[in-house]
Amino acid sequence: MKDFFKKFRIRKVILAIADAFIIAISALIANFLLSLFHMEASTTQLTISMIIGTVCCLAGLLAFGAYNKMWRYFRQKDYMSCVYGVAVGIIICWLLVYLIMGKIPMLLAVAHGMIALLGVCVFRFTFKRTFINLVDVGIKDAAYKRTMIIGGGQACKTLLREIRNAQESPYTEDKLSAMFSPVCIIDDDRSKIGTEINGVTIVGVSQEIPKFAEEYHIEQILFAIPSCLEDERMRILKICSETNIPVKMIPFIGNLIFDDTKKSLLHQVRDIKVEDLLGRDPIKFDNQEIKNFISGKICMVTGGGGSIGSELVRQIAKYNPKQIIIVDIYENNAYDVQQELKNEYDDSLNLHVMIASVRDYFRMNQLFEKYKPQIVFHAAAHKHVPLMEDSPMEAIKNNVVGTFNVASLAQFHDVEKFVMISTDKAVNPTNVMGASKRCCEMIIQYLSQQNEGKTEFVTTRFGNVLGSSGSVIPLFKRQIEQGKPVTVTHRDVIRYFMTIPEAVSLVMEAAAIAQGGEIFVLDMGKPVRIVTLAENLIRMYGKVPYVDVEIRFTGLRPGEKIKEELLMDEEGLQKTSNKLIFIGKQIEIEETEFIQKLRSLCKAAKENDEQLAVSKLHEMVPTFVTPEEFNKLADASAVSEEHTQKEPTTV
């Protein structure tokens, strides 16, 4: 009983008092109406019926769950609990009156029941339509959106409990955090349909999401299955996208955090992100192996202020390094990272930020001599494809010359491991940026083949990084938010995608398991069609592609491929301890010829001879072809594949 009364909160007490008043007054009203026809009951009968009727009806309402559901969520069928409760209460009341007095004033009993039932239901309806609106005065229009919850498991139960607590809290901060008005739940377990969780009904399965979204006038959908398998999540999110209603999510169960800043599940609800639609689960990495590799070491990160470099620095900082040296030519980004880490680690992190260019051999040599790094992560690079097509000499100077400077200095100063960050655009490149990065891979292979010093050289290769500088996703978001058309270069362009933390974790684990000379490649799942990515992003904003937001095809940019690759034909794959990381077999380099071509390339770039520099880059990288040649072959291959699929099978 003690626990029961703890749960029977003030709002229920208020509602029960109101019901008691209505039921008692109903007896008086009924008797008054009968008195107009000289059919009223005696004072004794009226008094007894009022007292017993009030008690019995309250007990009936309680028994049939009239106080279990929050007023805000009362729907048409929920009023049946009031009907059953009052009806049963009145019947029991007048049975007791008969036992006490030996007779029943039948007309009074009927009139009392009808007026009491009408009063109880009307009060609830009026209370919902008026008082709740008054309580919500001052709350933004966006608050309390009609919400469909997908998943009727433990996460849903926890969320509903936290939403209810937040909405009942008198504190503004909690009030604003409860921007959900759950009206229905979707769950694929058909045996749960019709049951309730904290007063919210499970109405159907995931295939019926569009139907119930329309029926219940849903304003937002909350995906509450943090442990959902990837294929199932993709299937459900695809159905959600058909509703053109904004979707919010609970993070993957491995990403849930419960600390001083995120004490509840409700505070971790977030907008759906593009990475939720990649078509695979987030990559898991061996943190212990990375910790053993980083702990107590002096780590240098070139390009440490960039999107990849800064995330490298953040993750390295978690593994107790002896010292971190950020090297970057752009002081603003480097400063931002420095301040972020100072705020997080105070004086416990030994961090130095050095403004320097990897093109400057002598400046870089100074830094190697001063700090004596044991691990070097080389993330400094020009990577914007169209811009490097317009300034090819700069790509060669920064990417090729810069990589040779830092890598050769690492070898000279006996750095333990040198990790070069490459890109899938280095595979059969069709642009200067990709060709320059392939040249960087060849430099790393050349130095590794020499077997001079103790440095182990390793290359990591991955696809497009969501949210990095120059990524297409921020551009799409800006265009949608500004009401402009979303621009896609070509309807058939496909890309591999990964998140920045995944990319950096790959770099660090590859470095940890590397023995020298490898190219590490991540299994990035299925490639994503860019136009599909744009359509899904538009739907995430609750808009209809091609109707609310135009998608405009602008044509391939200079140097752009229709399809990216992760391996060249000559490279095979070898498994590693991580089932999603593979080693691509390095292609043997003829050292004398390579170094001669490299000198010619660097000389042409330093002289700013654009035509000669590009020509020398083609000589350095035999797989470097024009995008027109590559895309023509890609189109022919796609047509051939489509034709093959349509051919009837004969025996």
Side-chain angles (χ1 to χ4, degrees), residues 152-224:
Q154 187 58 46
C156 176
K157 295 175 184 176
T158 303
L159 268 173
L160 288 173
R161 184 169 62 250
E162 291 178 1
I163 290 171
R164 177 175 294 187
N165 291 341
Q167 290 179 351
E168 292 178 349
S169 170
Y171 300 105
T172 304
E173 182 180 353
D174 288 334
K175 201 76 174 176
L176 290 176
S177 70
M179 297 176 67
F180 308 93
S181 176
V183 294
C184 65
I185 301 170
I186 298 292
D187 196 286
D188 280 332
D189 184 351
R190 291 187 177 274
S191 65
K192 294 182 179 180
I193 295 176
T195 62
E196 293 186 349
I197 300 175
N198 287 343
V200 184
T201 306
I202 299 176
V203 296
V205 297
S206 57
Q207 291 293 342
E208 299 173 299
I209 288 173
K211 167 190 167 185
F212 289 112
E214 183 177 356
E215 180 178 335
Y216 287 94
H217 307 290
I218 298 300
E219 296 175 277
Q220 65 183 359
I221 297 173
L222 178 52
F223 190 95

Side-chain angles (χ1 to χ4, degrees), residues 548-567:
D548 299 325
V549 179
E550 178 189 353
I551 297 180
R552 186 177 296 167
F553 297 97
T554 58
L556 292 172
R557 300 177 300 175
E560 187 175 19
K561 283 182 179 180
I562 287 181
K563 177 182 178 182
E564 300 288 4
E565 306 159 279
L566 287 171
L567 282 174

Side-chain angles (χ1 to χ4, degrees), residues 472 475-476 479-480 484-490 530-531 534 538 549-555:
V472 72
L475 172 63
F476 286 170
Q479 290 171 334
I480 296 170
K484 296 179 179 179
V486 171
T487 54
V488 178
T489 59
H490 193 284
I530 298 298
V531 67
I538 291 168
V549 179
E550 178 189 353
I551 297 180
R552 186 177 296 167
F553 297 97
T554 58

Side-chain angles (χ1 to χ4, degrees), residues 48 149 165 176 261 282 439 549 599:
I48 293 175
I149 299 179
N165 291 341
L176 290 176
T261 59
C439 193
V549 179
R599 286 180 182 140

Side-chain angles (χ1 to χ4, degrees), residues 49 142 154 159 257 284 288 304 328 364 380 393 506 517 548 560 575 598:
S49 66
Q154 187 58 46
L159 268 173
I257 300 171
K284 300 293 189 299
Q288 186 57 47
D328 205 297
M364 293 305 300
M393 306 83 65
L506 164 66
D548 299 325
E560 187 175 19
K575 292 182 179 179
L598 182 61

Side-chain angles (χ1 to χ4, degrees), residues 139-157:
I139 302 298
K140 295 179 180 178
D141 291 339
Y144 300 121
K145 290 183 177 179
R146 296 178 64 82
T147 304
M148 171 188 286
I149 299 179
I150 298 176
Q154 187 58 46
C156 176
K157 295 175 184 176

Side-chain angles (χ1 to χ4, degrees), residues 267-286:
H267 285 81
Q268 301 192 57
V269 172
R270 58 165 173 79
D271 290 333
I272 187 172
K273 297 180 180 177
V274 180
E275 47 262 45
D276 297 319
L277 305 171
L278 286 183
R280 56 173 174 77
D281 290 318
I283 310 300
K284 300 293 189 299
F285 295 90
D286 188 344

